[in-house]
Amino acid sequence: MALPMLRGCCRLPSTLSFTRLFLNESPVLNRSGRRRLSPCSASAVTVSVRPYSSEQGEHKQKVVVVGIPNPFIWFRTRIYYFLIRTYFDKEFNIEEFAEGAKQAFSHVSTLLSRCQFEALEGLVAKDLIGKLEEKCSSLPSDYKKALSADPDEIMYTTPGDVGIFYDDNGRKFVSILMRFWYLTSAQLPDESMEGTRIFKVDIGDGEEEPETKRLLTAIYEFQREFTKGVPPDWTITRIEHSKLLD
């Protein structure tokens, strides 16, 4: 099975290591380790609740998330996009990729929340599935519910780190880290959710009690092999849900 929204996926061996080709950052990345976004690579995010009226005259509220990208990261990633189009895929478009990644995030997060780990095969790297199963199986039901991101509740999506790698056999890979902000109505304990934001969202004519939703973040890394003759498939090689699956 493949990720249809990203033209499929490829699974990579857990022992594979990569060396970064361009923009001298971390010289070596090993799949067995964890790589986190540096503080400067995350966009600044402003969140507000704006009132508006529907066609029926109903007063509602809408949560608006506005991202302010780091100028250095924005410029650096544009260089990577240029390199990808020049040397790997001339039709690569980051806007189309981000939209496909958003759909993949919603689909995979829903499977995670339902503990449907067998359905992740072919979508998520095999060695990562076992780790996810171990973590998700012990989560309380509300935490599992909070993993699921409905497409309509995804407030903001932005690319993070971009990497171009090769191995000792000359195989070439591209990885793109995506960060998502989404709302959930799952009832989560406040003491374990420090740092997250809570909103009361009015839906309807205002007679009912506003629904409480919490803004959560998640990081998914997508990786594809660009070696000649290899299918143009992407796989998810990293999944993090802040406060839920760190």
Side-chain angles (χ1 to χ4, degrees):
M1 182 179 180
L3 280 170
M5 59 291 291
L6 288 173
R7 294 192 303 169
C9 68
C10 63
R11 283 179 273 181
L12 306 176
S14 59
T15 57
L16 191 61
S17 62
F18 307 91
T19 303
R20 188 178 293 271
L21 280 175
F22 305 104
L23 300 183
N24 188 22
E25 293 180 355
S26 304
V28 178
L29 166 65
N30 190 289
R31 281 283 311 281
S32 60
R34 291 167 64 95
R35 179 165 59 111
R36 293 183 175 273
L37 281 171
S38 59
C40 65
S41 62
S43 301
V45 175
T46 301
V47 187
S48 62
V49 180
R50 299 179 182 176
Y52 70 99
S53 298
S54 66
E55 295 180 354
Q56 292 77 23
E58 299 172 341
H59 295 287
K60 301 183 178 182
Q61 289 182 314
K62 181 179 181 180
V63 177
V64 179
V65 180
V66 180
I68 306 173
N70 180 302
F72 172 75
I73 300 302
W74 183 91
F75 180 75
R76 185 183 68 183
T77 55
R78 263 54 190 180
I79 294 177
Y80 273 115
Y81 302 153
F82 170 78
L83 293 173
I84 292 173
R85 287 192 298 270
T86 302
Y87 296 103
F88 300 102
D89 182 359
K90 63 180 180 181
E91 297 181 357
F92 176 80
N93 181 288
I94 187 57
E95 288 76 21
E96 292 180 0
F97 177 87
E99 181 58 33
K102 178 180 175 181
Q103 296 177 37
F105 163 59
S106 178
H107 178 63
V108 170
S109 67
T110 299
L111 294 177
L112 281 177
S113 71
R114 298 173 181 172
C115 293
Q116 296 179 344
F117 303 108
E118 291 184 0
L120 295 176
E121 294 184 8
L123 308 177
V124 178
K126 188 174 182 180
D127 61 323
L128 181 59
I129 294 177
K131 298 176 183 178
L132 292 171
E133 184 172 1
E134 182 179 349
K135 289 184 177 181
C136 292
S137 297
S138 60
L139 288 178
S141 58
D142 286 332
Y143 279 62
K144 292 178 181 177
K145 180 181 178 181
L147 291 174
S148 180
D150 184 274
D152 295 333
E153 300 285 22
I154 300 175
M155 298 291 100
Y156 186 67
T157 301
T158 184
D161 196 14
V162 180
I164 299 176
F165 312 95
Y166 69 94
D167 67 3
D168 294 337
N169 297 318
R171 298 163 65 198
K172 302 175 182 179
F173 302 86
V174 170
S175 67
I176 301 178
L177 205 66
M178 299 293 298
R179 184 186 287 268
F180 306 92
W181 282 261
Y182 66 102
L183 292 173
T184 179
S185 57
Q187 300 301 309
L188 302 172
D190 293 338
E191 59 270 16
S192 63
M193 293 289 116
E194 184 178 356
T196 62
R197 305 192 181 201
I198 302 176
F199 302 91
K200 289 187 179 294
V201 183
D202 259 343
I203 300 177
D205 55 12
E207 295 181 359
E208 299 180 0
E209 183 70 18
E211 183 180 6
T212 299
K213 294 191 176 184
R214 193 183 299 269
L215 185 69
L216 300 177
T217 63
I219 294 173
Y220 279 49
E221 183 179 64
F222 298 84
Q223 199 168 83
R224 173 183 163 184
E225 182 176 357
F226 278 89
T227 307
K228 186 176 181 180
V230 174
D233 300 331
W234 292 88
T235 185
I236 297 173
T237 56
R238 173 180 168 188
I239 293 178
E240 290 186 15
H241 284 254
S242 180
K243 310 297 181 179
L244 300 172
L245 289 178
D246 288 326

